[in-house]
Amino acid sequence: MAHLTLMMIKPDAVENGHIGNILEKVTAAGFKIKALKLTQLTQRDAESFYAVHSERPFFGELVSFMTRGPIVAALLEKENAVSDFRTLIGATNPAEAAEGTLRKLYATSMGENAVHGSDSDENAMLEAAFHFSERERF
Ligand code: ATP
Ligand code: MG
């Protein structure tokens, strides 16, 4: 389904009080919230969510960052959701993120970059199922 993407507001942005600001910008950009929760990933959750990066040198750091506090998970709907949301969040490295993007506004470093967005329609579906049961989706 090309109209859904999965967002996480990462622990750094939650700690820094940016949940409201980020949800405001996401909805102002035309995304509709189809599911939403505050939750905390276990080590196993984070290792499984980012399994594609398990051989990378930063994997341990990524897992410990993603599990250190609560996150907000949201399922978002919009035409071209995956690619439009990646545009809204900006480059992985906030130093390279375009003006006005969520990472330019709220990220502090490459590792602590405030927001996750799915990178394909297929992963959006897998990530939605990872975070939400059927009765949590609207
Ligand atoms: P995300 O999947 O969280 O939306 P992304 O798709 O922009 O981010 P990925 O390549 O999937 O980037 O990397 C996943 C996460 O791993 C990044 O968001 C970042 O937190 C971390 N990461 C990636 N590359 C590095 C790096 N070179 N050094 C430290 N952390 C990194
Ligand atoms: Mg990614």
Side-chain angles (χ1 to χ4, degrees):
M1 288 197 279
H3 59 288
L4 291 172
T5 193
L6 190 286
M7 164 177 86
M8 291 189 291
I9 302 176
K10 297 186 181 184
D12 59 328
V14 174
E15 287 159 10
N16 293 329
H18 296 315
I19 295 174
N21 293 328
I22 290 172
L23 291 178
E24 163 58 24
K25 291 200 179 300
V26 167
T27 50
F31 292 88
K32 195 170 161 191
I33 295 173
K34 306 293 283 183
L36 182 67
K37 72 167 72 164
L38 186 68
T39 186
Q40 185 162 359
L41 299 178
T42 64
Q43 171 143 347
R44 184 186 289 190
D45 289 334
E47 285 172 355
S48 140
F49 192 92
Y50 282 111
V52 66
H53 297 305
S54 62
E55 302 304 317
R56 308 285 288 278
F58 58 81
F59 187 65
E61 198 184 318
L62 175 60
V63 169
S64 82
F65 163 58
M66 287 302 296
T67 57
R68 82 173 182 215
I71 59 144
V72 171
L75 184 61
L76 304 175
E77 181 182 70
K78 184 181 185 294
E79 242 179 74
N80 302 313
V82 166
S83 102
D84 284 6
F85 191 68
R86 301 281 302 190
T87 301
L88 180 67
I89 68 181
T92 306
N93 183 350
E96 291 161 14
E99 283 304 322
T101 59
L102 298 179
R103 282 170 169 165
K104 182 72 174 187
L105 290 166
Y106 303 119
T108 47
S109 68
M110 177 87 160
E112 305 203 0
N113 59 9
V115 187
H116 162 81
S118 307
D119 62 10
S120 67
D121 293 338
E122 187 191 2
N123 283 335
M125 292 300 93
L126 294 171
E127 293 172 8
F130 179 94
H131 281 292
F132 297 107
S133 67
E134 278 308 315
R135 72 186 180 88
E136 293 176 313
R137 297 171 58 155
F138 300 91

